[in-house]
């Protein structure tokens, strides 16, 4: 492990993409790192989040979290006793809204645009199409980065089944739009050669899906054809942006077995794609002092000599504690709990050093006993990893 934190990394990059398994603290880390960057590095910093917890949105002073980027009120920094060097902005990824914007940008004319937006299949696809969310996240990132409005963009990722999917989403989208299936679908049906082999497919599809559905599909793809070039070009550009030297990745993990395995999987996948692992963030880590020998001695003493300690305590402290039998029991339990936690903390340290070998920058954040509820809390967490 090195002593270097996130500061140098964030100062040197323009895009930081966070990944990790579900619930490890990606969204919280993104917000904390973004807040620190705005406070310490200056410039305009954007945190692009997915599904932020209500409390996190409140912590950023954003009741209405939406697709539109909003500045986190500077007064919140002032309330936290911080005079930020730069500005903190935040936005959420709204899949449907982002797709609509994409169509508006690429449709050749107003008529096509409106027809696509009103097409029932379009609504369905953008809502449910596999990876539509992953793709749009990367697409949106590309657009915002290209606008040059921000010096640093810290990106959250959705909890996906296959957590690395979003990396491949642009490529897959380009493949989809270049696919023969799509070309064939958008060929006007008159000139479509319906082979003997494909005829049964059509008659079955007609019966099962209804001819209206097939008409919708055909119309949809014909309309989409007009955006084809724009889409493929964009998807390729998004792929290139992921491996740009201005982009880096953060893998967030807790030190629980399952989360560690998933983090290793992520690290391997990044390596396989030649993408840089900028830093490893270990979150919800037990405090160091569980490893403290003196503390452990106290705990062991309590489990063995709870009676004597309680007798000494109870009589002097408060007569209502009785003869100290209760106190003794509680003290023994506390001592035992401490020792149990110590075992977990030891295992965590082993996991941390094993996982830590993969990354040049490894930072850890303690398990807080309450949710982050304000910018102050976010900055406190951010400082631990800075
Ligand atoms: N260091 C921490 N200590 C205590 N609680 C934390 C810590 N970091 C995050 N949490 C809490 O854990 C929960 C999950 O955090 P968060 O939403 O950031 O995770 P996530 O990885 O984005 O989850 P998802 O995969 O569902 O998007 C939240 O309630 C958050 O407040
Ligand atoms: Mg999240």
């Amino acid at each position: 492990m090195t002593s270097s934190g996130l500061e140098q990394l964030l100062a040197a990059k323009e895009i930081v993409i966070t990944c990790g398994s579900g619930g490890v603290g990606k969204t919280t880390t993104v917000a904390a790192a973004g807040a620190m960057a705005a406070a310490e590095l200056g410039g305009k910093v954007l945190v692009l989040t997915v599904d932020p917890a209500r409390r996190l949105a409140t912590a950023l002073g954003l009741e209405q979290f939406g697709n539109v980027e909003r500045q986190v009120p500077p007064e919140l920094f002032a309330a936290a006793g911080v005079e930020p060097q730069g500005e903190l902005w935040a936005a959420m990824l709204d899949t449907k809204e982002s797709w609509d914007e994409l169509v508006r940008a690429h449709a050749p004319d107003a008529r096509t645009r409106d027809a696509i937006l009103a097409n029932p299949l379009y609504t369905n696809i953008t809502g449910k199409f596999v990876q539509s969310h992953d793709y749009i996240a990367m697409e949106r990132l590309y657009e915002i980065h290209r606008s040059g409005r921000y010096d640093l963009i810290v990106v959250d990722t959705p909890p996906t089944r296959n957590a690395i999917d979003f990396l491949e989403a642009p490529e897959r989208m380009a493949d989809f739009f270049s696919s023969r299936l799509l070309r064939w679908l958008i060929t006007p049906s008159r000139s479509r050669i319906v082979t003997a082999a494909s005829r049964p497919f059509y008659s079955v599809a007609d019966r099962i899906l209804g001819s209206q559905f097939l008409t919708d599909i055909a119309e949809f793809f014909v309309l989409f054809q007009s955006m084809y070039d724009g889409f493929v070009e964009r998807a390729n550009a998004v792929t290139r942006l992921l491996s740009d030297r201005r982009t880096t990745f953060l893998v967030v993990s807790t030190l629980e077995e399952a989360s560690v395995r998933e983090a290793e999987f992520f690290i391997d996948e990044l390596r396989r794609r030649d993408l840089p692992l900028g830093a490893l963030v270990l979150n919800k880590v037990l405090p160091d002092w569980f490893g403290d020998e003196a503390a452990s001695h106290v705990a062991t003493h309590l489990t063995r000599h709870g009676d004597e300690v309680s007798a000494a305590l109870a009589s002097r402290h408060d007569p209502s504690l009785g003869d100290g039998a209760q106190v003794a029991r509680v003290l023994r339990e506390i001592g035992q709990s401490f020792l149990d936690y110590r075992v977990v903390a030891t295992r965590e340290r082993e996991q941390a050093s094993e996982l830590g070998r993969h990354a040049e920058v490894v930072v850890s954040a303690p398990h807080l006993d309450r949710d982050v509820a304000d910018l102050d809390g976010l900055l406190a967490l951010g400082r631990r990893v800075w």
Side-chain angles (χ1 to χ4, degrees):
M1 278 197 222
T2 73
S3 58
S4 175
L6 291 184
E7 184 173 0
Q8 290 85 345
L9 185 70
L10 267 56
K13 300 293 174 185
E14 292 177 15
I15 294 178
V16 179
I17 300 176
T18 310
C19 35
S21 54
V24 292
K26 296 180 292 295
T27 306
T28 307
T29 302
V30 160
M36 278 307 285
E40 300 285 326
L41 298 177
K44 274 180 85 173
V45 179
L46 174 70
V47 295
L48 204 50
T49 76
V50 180
D51 263 352
R54 181 91 234 129
R55 232 181 270 201
L56 188 60
T58 312
L60 294 172
L62 303 171
E63 297 307 330
Q64 291 171 294
F65 227 125
N67 226 23
V68 178
E69 304 132 54
R70 286 172 195 277
Q71 184 175 3
V72 174
E75 302 84 68
L76 290 187
F77 280 96
V82 173
E83 198 181 316
Q85 304 287 313
E87 295 175 6
L88 179 62
W89 289 68
M92 196 181 81
L93 284 165
D94 178 330
T95 309
K96 172 85 177 79
E97 191 49 37
S98 302
W99 272 104
D100 292 355
E101 275 170 26
L102 197 61
V103 169
R104 279 185 214 114
H106 289 288
D109 51 61
R111 201 194 59 78
T112 313
R113 178 198 63 204
D114 296 341
I116 291 178
L117 293 178
N119 185 293
L121 202 69
Y122 166 77
T123 324
N124 243 305
I125 284 185
T126 49
K128 300 187 191 119
F129 181 39
V130 196
Q131 272 104 46
S132 123
H133 192 96
D134 296 339
Y135 174 70
I136 208 67
M138 295 299 114
E139 157 69 38
R140 183 101 196 285
L141 171 64
Y142 174 82
E143 184 56 45
I144 294 175
H145 180 254
R146 205 179 60 146
S147 78
R149 289 197 295 275
Y150 301 95
D151 300 285
L152 173 68
I153 308 172
V154 194
V155 190
D156 188 16
T157 52
T160 40
R161 303 151 312 284
N162 177 353
I164 209 77
D165 274 354
F166 67 93
L167 290 179
E168 276 167 6
E171 224 171 298
R172 226 178 283 131
M173 193 59 78
D175 284 351
F176 174 69
F177 278 99
S178 334
S179 70
R180 279 171 56 202
L181 170 68
L182 188 57
R183 296 250 174 92
W184 189 80
L185 275 169
I186 59 184
T187 310
S189 46
R190 266 174 286 109
S191 58
R192 196 187 278 157
I193 304 159
V194 180
T195 61
S198 67
R199 201 171 295 123
F201 165 77
Y202 268 93
S203 68
V204 170
D206 235 358
R207 247 182 299 143
I208 295 177
L209 305 169
S211 53
Q212 182 56 46
F213 182 72
L214 286 180
T215 310
D216 284 346
I217 291 187
E219 187 208 41
F220 172 72
F221 285 117
V222 169
L223 291 168
F224 245 63
Q225 185 185 28
S226 62
M227 308 198 302
Y228 168 82
D229 288 339
F231 259 68
V232 173
E233 200 183 294
R234 279 297 280 271
N236 289 334
V238 175
T239 303
R240 282 196 301 276
L241 182 61
L242 291 180
S243 51
D244 194 286
R245 58 181 174 72
R246 293 166 294 179
T247 303
T248 194
F249 292 81
L250 288 189
V251 170
V252 183
S253 180
T254 64
L255 290 171
E256 276 162 40
E257 186 75 22
S259 164
V260 168
R261 295 288 88 82
E262 192 123 354
E264 282 174 334
F265 168 74
F266 262 114
I267 292 167
D268 284 346
E269 289 293 308
L270 289 175
R271 196 176 291 144
R272 202 162 66 78
R273 290 173 171 78
D274 260 339
L275 297 172
L277 170 62
L280 179 64
V281 179
L282 306 175
N283 193 24
K284 307 191 188 184
V285 174
L286 286 174
D288 277 346
W289 51 264
F290 275 114
D292 188 355
E293 287 304 329
S296 167
H297 172 71
V298 173
T300 309
H301 188 86
L302 285 183
T303 58
R304 291 189 190 145
H305 307 286
D307 293 336
E308 290 103 299
V309 176
S310 79
L313 267 177
S315 59
R316 269 206 260 159
H317 184 66
D318 184 342
S320 75
L321 297 179
D323 62 1
Q326 277 308 347
V327 178
R329 194 173 308 141
V330 172
L331 287 180
R332 275 197 302 270
E333 285 299 328
I334 290 173
Q336 191 53 50
S337 286
F338 185 96
L339 294 176
D340 293 345
Y341 270 114
R342 182 179 155 85
V343 173
V344 179
T346 306
R347 203 168 339 149
E348 280 198 354
R349 269 203 307 283
E350 286 162 10
Q351 300 268 34
S353 68
E354 201 174 311
L355 199 54
R357 286 183 319 201
H358 301 289
E360 252 173 63
V361 179
V362 183
V363 293
S364 44
H367 196 301
L368 307 172
D369 43 16
R370 59 190 176 88
D371 261 6
V372 174
D374 51 21
L375 192 61
D376 206 8
L378 219 44
L379 287 165
L381 193 66
R383 274 181 214 110
R384 301 297 296 261
V385 296
W386 200 238

